Amino acid sequence: MQVREELYGSANQPVVVGKRDEQENWLFPVKGALDPHDIAIAVGERILKRGHVEEIANRVSRLKQAQSAVAAMTDVSARTPYFCSGCPHNSSTVVPQGMRAYAGIGCHFMSQWMDRNTLGWTHMGGEGANWIGEAPFSKRKHVFQNLGDGTYNHSGYLAIRASAASGVNITYKILFNDAVAMTGGQRNDGGLTVPVIARQVAAKAPGRSSS
C-alpha cells in the first residue's frame, strides 16, 4: 500500500500488486501471518509466467510439495496455555462459586480457558467499562474484573474511576505480580507496590468496593 501511494499520480504510474494480483484475485492472505514459503511460491510462479527457468520451476515444485505435506499433518495432542508455575494468577483469578469475572489484556486473559467463570474482555485500559454498559440490562447484580498491575499502572486506573463514577457494582481484582509480564517481565514504572495501589484506589474511588 505504501509503495502504491508513493507511486500514485506519477507520470508513468506502474501497476502495483500485493494482497491482490492484476485480476483482483487474492495473492496473499489478508489476515494472519505471511508464510515465507507461500511468498516464495507466489513470487516464483509470477517469474515463471514471464519465462520458464528450470531451477525456479523445480524449487517452486518442491516448495508446493512441502506445503502440501505440512497442510496434511494433524496434531496428535493439544496443550491449553496455562499460568507459569508459581504465578499468583493461579489463585488470584479464582472467583467465588456462582460469580462471574471479566478478563482483560494480560496473562490473566488465559483464565477464560480455565474453570474460572471468567468470560468476556475489553481493550487494554478499558477493563470494567464493558460492565458499565451491560449492567443496566443484566439481571446479575455484581461482577469481578481482573486487572493486571501493569495495565493498572499505565491506564487501568482510568477504568476504575469510570466504574466508580457510573455507580455500577463491580469489584476489581488487581493482580499484582510486580511485572509487566506480556512484554518481557519488566518492572512496573514508579515503584508500584500493593500499599500504593490500595491508597490510589481509595483516593480515586471513595466509598466504592475495591480489592
Side-chain angles (χ1 to χ4, degrees), residues 101-113:
Y102 279 115
I105 305 303
C107 296
H108 59 90
F109 182 92
M110 294 188 292
S111 61
Q112 293 188 103
W113 308 329

Side-chain angles (χ1 to χ4, degrees), residues 34-206:
L34 289 173
D35 188 307
H37 299 102
D38 290 335
I39 296 174
I41 291 170
V43 172
E45 288 180 336
R46 292 180 67 81
I47 293 174
L48 292 173
K49 286 181 180 179
R50 289 160 173 76
H52 185 78
V53 179
E54 190 66 26
E55 181 181 0
I56 294 178
N58 290 336
R59 291 193 178 191
V60 169
S61 177
R62 290 198 300 269
L63 282 173
K64 283 186 172 181
Q65 292 176 8
Q67 291 296 81
S68 296
V70 170
M73 294 176 62
T74 57
D75 294 330
V76 296
S77 62
R79 180 183 181 276
T80 303
Y82 210 85
F83 298 131
C84 298
S85 178
C87 177
H89 293 351
N90 280 301
S91 57
S92 61
T93 54
V94 175
V95 296
Q97 187 174 3
M99 301 301 294
R100 174 187 168 193
Y102 279 115
I105 305 303
C107 296
H108 59 90
F109 182 92
M110 294 188 292
S111 61
Q112 293 188 103
W113 308 329
M114 307 169 194
D115 187 17
R116 304 289 168 99
N117 293 327
T118 300
L119 180 66
W121 53 280
T122 185
H123 63 279
M124 181 175 285
E127 287 82 354
N130 39 0
W131 179 241
I132 296 174
E134 180 184 338
F137 308 98
S138 176
K139 294 181 180 179
R140 184 177 293 276
K141 302 301 182 182
H142 169 268
V143 296
F144 288 93
Q145 173 63 62
N146 294 322
L147 176 63
D149 55 340
T151 300
Y152 165 84
N153 202 27
H154 60 63
S155 56
Y157 69 93
L158 295 174
I160 296 177
R161 291 174 61 183
S163 294
S166 69
V168 295
N169 190 10
I170 182 172
T171 298
Y172 279 85
K173 299 177 71 174
I174 301 174
L175 311 176
F176 188 86
N177 62 358
D178 194 29
V180 184
M182 287 195 70
T183 54
Q186 299 93 340
R187 296 290 298 270
N188 283 307
D189 291 332
L192 194 68
T193 64
V194 173
V196 167
I197 292 175
R199 290 194 295 270
Q200 288 176 341
V201 172
K204 290 178 172 61

